[in-house]
C-alpha cells in the first residue's frame, strides 16, 4: 500500500531477491510512483526544469520489473482476518478485494492543514506531492504574486521561502514558535532567523495564524494572525505532517505515542508477523535518547523499505533506529543537526555540557572561506557525544555526517578529537570545525570530571 519511497523500495528489493517466487501487487492512489518530494522546493525555485526529473522510477519501469503496480487505486480497508484488502479503482469507481500472504503498509504521512476559516481560499497551497508542486508553479506563473506568506518555519517552510525569494516574490514566514527551525536549539535557530532576515525574508515568530482572508473573487488576500493581518497574494503551508495510519488503526494495528505504527527492527508490525510497515507512517527508535519518535524523512523511508523487501523475500535485514540527522538550507545558509537538542537531552535524563565554536568552511586564507558555527553536546563525565548542530555557509551542512557517524558508534568527544578527517585548504581549516568543537567539548567534559556532583 503506497508506491513511493518505502513501498517501492520494499517491492523492488523483494523482487531483486526472490524474482518470480514472489508476486507483488502495489496500490497507489496518486498519479506518480517513486518520486522525490524532497526536490519540490528546488523545482519551484527553478533549479529543476521539469517534474519528470523528480521521478526515480515510473509505473511502467516498475511493471517491467514484474511488479503489478495499480495506479490511481486506493486501499480502503485492511481485513487481517481474511488476509485481504479492499481497493477502489479511482478512475472507474470499481471496488474489489485482493488477497495477500504478506502486507506492506507504506502510506506515508498526511500534511497538517489547519481547520481555520478561509484555509480553502484560492492561492493557498500545500507542497506534499508533485501535483501540489505543479499547482503552485502554475499559480505562480499565472497570478504572478508579489507577496507570499509561508506558514510554518520548519525545514519545508524555509526551503519554500528560499524558492519564492528566488522567484522574486517578497516572503514572510509566520511561525507560532519563538524561532524558525525548532529542530535546532534556540541559540542556533536564532542565527537562522537572523540570516533569513538578512536575506530580506520577514520572519514573524510567536505568531499563531488565526485564519485566511479572501478577496471578493475568492483569492487569498491576507493571513490573519493574533498580532494583525499580513497581506498575501499566495500562501504556502508548511506545518508538518502526521503519520497516515487510519487504515492500520481500523484494522487494530498498534500505534505509538506519536501516532505512528510500531514495528520491530525487521519492520514487522508488533504482534503481526506478516504485516510490515515503513516510511512516514511508522515511529522509529532514537538510538541516542532510547525513545520512539516520528521522523518523516525520505532517507529513513528508503532504508526501511529495503529492509522490508529483504525480510519479505526470506533474507534478513534490520533498521535499528535513527540518531536524528537532518540537513536543509535557506539560500546560502546551510542548516544541519544530529542527535539530541538540549531539551531532548534533558527529557531523556542526561546531564550534559555544550560548546559552540565559530570557524570557517575552508582555510581562512583560501578564497571563498565562509563562516560556520558548530554546537556540540556531550554527556557530563562520560563525554559521550549526544548531539551536534551546524549553521553556516556552503560547505557546512554535510560535516554533520561525521558527528552522525560518531553518534552511531557511541563515541566520546575525546575519541572524536583524534579522527583522521581529510584536510586541504580548499576543503577545511587544518583543524576541521568538527574537530575544534570536539576538542572544546572534551575540555568541558574534563572540567565536569574535576567538579563535584553528578
Ligand atoms: C517538500 C518536501 C521536501 C522534503 N525534503 C526532504 C529532504 O530533503 N530529505 C528527506 O529525507 N526527506 C524529505 N522529505 C520527506 C520525504 O519526502 C518523505 O519522508 C518520504 O517521501 C516518505 O516516503 P513514504 O514512502 O513513507 O511516504 P510517501 O512518499 O508519502 O508515499 C506514500 C504513498 O502512499 C500513497 N497512499 C497513501 N494512502 C494510500 C492508500 N490508502 N491506498 C493507496 N495509496 C496510498 C500516497 O499517495 C503516497 O504516494 C520532504 C518532503 C516534502 C513534502
Amino acid at each position: 500500500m503506497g508506491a513511493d519511497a518505502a513501498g517501492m523500495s520494499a517491492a523492488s528489493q523483494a523482487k531483486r531477491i526472490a524474482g518470480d517466487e514472489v508476486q507483488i501487487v502495489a496500490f497507489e492512489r496518486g498519479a506518480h510512483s517513486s518520486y522525490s518530494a524532497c526536490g519540490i522546493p528546488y523545482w519551484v525555485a527553478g533549479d529543476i526544469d521539469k517534474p519528470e526529473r523528480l521521478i526515480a522510477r515510473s509505473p511502467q519501469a516498475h511493471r517491467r520489473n514484474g511488479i503489478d503496480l495499480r495506479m490511481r487505486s486506493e486501499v480502503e480497508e485492511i481485513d487481517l482476518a481474511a488476509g485481504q484488502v479492499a481497493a477502489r479503482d479511482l478512475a472507474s469507481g470499481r471496488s474489489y478485494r485482493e488477497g495477500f500472504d504478506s502486507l506492506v503498509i507504506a502510506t506515508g504521512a498526511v500534511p497538517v492543514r489547519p481547520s481555520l476559516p478561509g484555509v480553502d481560499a484560492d492561492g493557498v497551497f500545500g507542497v506534499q506531492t508533485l501535483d501540489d508542486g505543479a499547482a503552485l508553479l502554475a499559480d505562480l506563473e499565472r497570478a504572478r504574486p508579489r507577496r507570499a506568506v509561508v506558514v510554518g518555519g520548519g525545514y519545508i517552510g524555509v526551503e519554500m521561502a528560499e524558492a519564492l525569494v528566488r522567484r522574486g516574490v517578497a516572503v514572510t514566514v509566520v511561525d507560532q514558535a519563538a524561532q524558525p527551525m525548532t529542530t535546532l536549539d534556540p541559540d542556533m535557530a536564532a542565527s537562522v532567523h537572523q540570516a533569513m532576515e538578512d536575506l530580506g525574508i520577514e520572519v514573524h515568530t510567536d505568531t499563531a495564524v488565526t485564519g485566511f482572508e479572501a478577496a471578493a473573487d475568492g483569492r487569498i488576500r491576507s493571513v490573519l494572525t493574533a498580532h494583525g493581518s499580513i497581506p498575501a497574494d499566495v500562501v504556502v503551508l508548511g506545518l508538518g505532517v502526521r503519520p497516515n495510519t487510519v487504515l492500520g488503526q481500523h484494522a487494530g494495528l498498534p500505534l505509538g505515542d506519536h501516532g505512528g505504527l510500531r514495528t520491530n527492527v525487521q519492520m514487522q508490525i508488533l504482534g503481526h508477523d506478516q504485516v510490515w510497515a515503513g516510511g512516514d507512517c511508522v515511529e522509529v527508535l532514537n538510538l541516542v535518547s532510547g525513545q520512539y519518535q516520528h521522523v518523516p524523512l525520505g532517507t529513513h523511508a528508503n532504508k526501511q523499505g529495503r529492509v522490508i523487501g529483504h525480510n519479505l523475500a526470506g533474507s534478513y535485514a534490520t533498521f535499528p533506529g535513527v540518531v536524528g540527522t537532518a540537513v536543509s538550507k535557506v539560500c546560502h545558509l546551510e542548516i544541519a543537526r544530529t542527535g539530541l537538542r538540549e531539551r531532548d537531552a534533558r527529557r531523556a535524563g542526561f546531564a550534559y555540557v555544550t560548546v559552540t565554536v565559530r570557524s570557517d568552511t575552508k582555510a581562512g586564507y583560501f578564497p571563498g572561506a565562509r563562516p560556520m558555527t558548530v554546537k556540540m553536546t556531550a554527556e557530563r563525565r562520560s563525554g559521550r557525544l549526544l548531539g551536534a548542530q551546524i549553521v553556516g555557509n556552503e560547505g557546512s551542512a554535510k560535516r554533520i555526517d561525521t558527528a552522525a557517524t560518531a553518534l552511531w558508534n557511541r563515541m566520546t568527544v575525546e575519541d572524536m578529537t583524534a579522527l583522521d578527517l581529510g584536510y586541504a585548504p580548499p576543503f577545511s581549516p587544518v583543524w576541521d570545525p568538527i574537530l575544534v568543537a570536539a576538542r572544546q567539548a572534551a575540555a568541558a567534559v574534563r572540567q565536569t570530571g574535576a567538579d563535584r556532583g553528578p
Side-chain angles (χ1 to χ4, degrees), residues 11 13-25 65-66 101-102 309-310 312-315:
Q13 188 61 46
K15 268 286 172 200
R16 229 170 271 141
I17 294 173
D20 291 341
E21 282 169 40
V22 59
Q23 194 192 337
I24 299 176
V25 179
N65 284 341
D101 300 315
S102 301
H310 267 279
L312 198 63
S315 172

Side-chain angles (χ1 to χ4, degrees), residues 1-10 103-109 243-245 253 260-269 275-284 294-309 319:
M1 296 165 49
D4 195 23
M8 294 324 277
S9 296
L103 179 68
V104 178
I105 304 177
T107 44
N244 179 10
T245 52
L253 298 175
L261 292 161
R262 284 288 295 273
T263 71
N264 62 19
V265 288
Q266 289 194 46
M267 305 310 297
Q268 272 162 321
I269 299 270
V275 187
W276 316 74
D280 285 1
C281 61
V282 303
E283 291 184 8
V284 289
H294 182 228
V295 188
L297 285 177
T299 176
H300 306 319
N302 279 288
K303 290 194 192 91
Q304 291 166 349
R306 179 184 159 276
V307 164
I308 293 171
F319 184 89

Side-chain angles (χ1 to χ4, degrees), residues 1-7 27-30 32 35-42 73-76 106-109 127-129 155-156 159-160 241 244 247 278-281 295-302 327:
M1 296 165 49
D4 195 23
F27 295 93
E28 170 54 54
R29 68 178 174 200
H32 303 285
Y35 66 92
S36 169
C38 316
I40 292 174
Y42 306 99
S73 298
E74 180 161 11
V75 175
E76 295 183 319
T107 44
V127 283
Q128 179 79 2
T129 63
Y155 81 92
I156 291 181
E159 289 176 4
M160 288 310 302
V241 296
N244 179 10
L247 296 180
D280 285 1
C281 61
V295 188
L297 285 177
T299 176
H300 306 319
N302 279 288
V327 290

Side-chain angles (χ1 to χ4, degrees), residues 36-327:
S36 169
C38 316
I40 292 174
Y42 306 99
W43 174 33
V44 174
D47 291 327
I48 290 123
D49 55 355
K50 46 183 187 228
E52 292 74 28
R53 295 178 57 109
L54 299 182
I55 296 172
R57 206 168 279 181
S58 66
Q60 295 80 349
H62 283 301
R63 289 184 196 121
R64 278 197 298 277
N65 284 341
I67 297 164
D68 178 358
L69 171 52
R70 304 183 189 171
M71 299 301 294
R72 305 284 295 133
S73 298
E74 180 161 11
V75 175
E76 295 183 319
E77 190 200 340
I78 301 168
D79 184 342
L80 289 175
Q84 291 182 337
V85 293
R88 180 186 296 271
D89 177 338
L90 297 176
S92 67
R94 184 177 72 93
S95 292
Y96 60 101
R97 293 173 88 81
E98 189 71 57
F100 61 81
D101 300 315
S102 301
L103 179 68
V104 178
I105 304 177
T107 44
V110 187
V112 173
R113 197 171 170 93
S115 52
L116 291 172
V119 70
D120 294 324
D122 290 344
V124 179
F125 294 93
V127 283
Q128 179 79 2
T129 63
L130 285 190
D131 289 344
D132 293 340
L136 172 61
L137 261 175
D139 188 81
L140 293 176
E141 265 144 38
R142 194 178 50 241
R144 303 253 162 218
R146 287 183 302 113
R147 295 161 308 184
V149 171
V150 175
V151 185
Y155 81 92
I156 291 181
V158 303
E159 289 176 4
M160 288 310 302
E162 166 180 343
L164 292 161
V165 164
R166 289 175 53 200
R167 294 186 64 95
V169 181
V171 179
T172 303
V173 174
V174 183
D175 200 306
Q176 62 183 8
Q179 292 290 358
M181 293 305 293
T182 53
T183 48
L184 302 179
D185 283 329
D187 50 345
M188 295 296 276
S191 35
V192 176
H193 186 159
Q194 183 60 53
M196 288 171 74
E197 293 197 331
D198 293 346
L199 288 162
I201 299 169
E202 258 190 64
V203 184
H204 293 227
T205 51
D206 287 316
T207 305
V209 170
T210 54
F212 301 86
E213 191 182 40
D217 63 357
R219 173 94 196 174
I220 184 76
R221 184 164 66 184
S222 57
V223 174
L224 308 175
T225 77
H227 306 308
S229 78
I230 307 169
D233 308 318
V234 67
V235 170
V236 174
L237 301 175
L239 288 165
V241 296
R242 52 186 169 72
N244 179 10
T245 52
V246 64
L247 296 180
Q249 203 178 351
H250 283 155
L253 298 175
L255 299 186
D257 292 343
H258 305 277
L261 292 161
R262 284 288 295 273
T263 71
N264 62 19
V265 288
Q266 289 194 46
M267 305 310 297
Q268 272 162 321
I269 299 270
L270 299 179
H272 298 265
D273 284 358
Q274 288 313 319
V275 187
W276 316 74
D280 285 1
C281 61
V282 303
E283 291 184 8
V284 289
L285 180 64
N286 184 307
L287 296 170
V288 189
S289 68
Q291 291 163 353
Y292 277 85
Q293 278 181 292
H294 182 228
V295 188
L297 285 177
T299 176
H300 306 319
N302 279 288
K303 290 194 192 91
Q304 291 166 349
R306 179 184 159 276
V307 164
I308 293 171
H310 267 279
N311 296 325
L312 198 63
S315 172
Y316 175 73
T318 60
F319 184 89
V322 305
V323 294
T325 312
V327 290

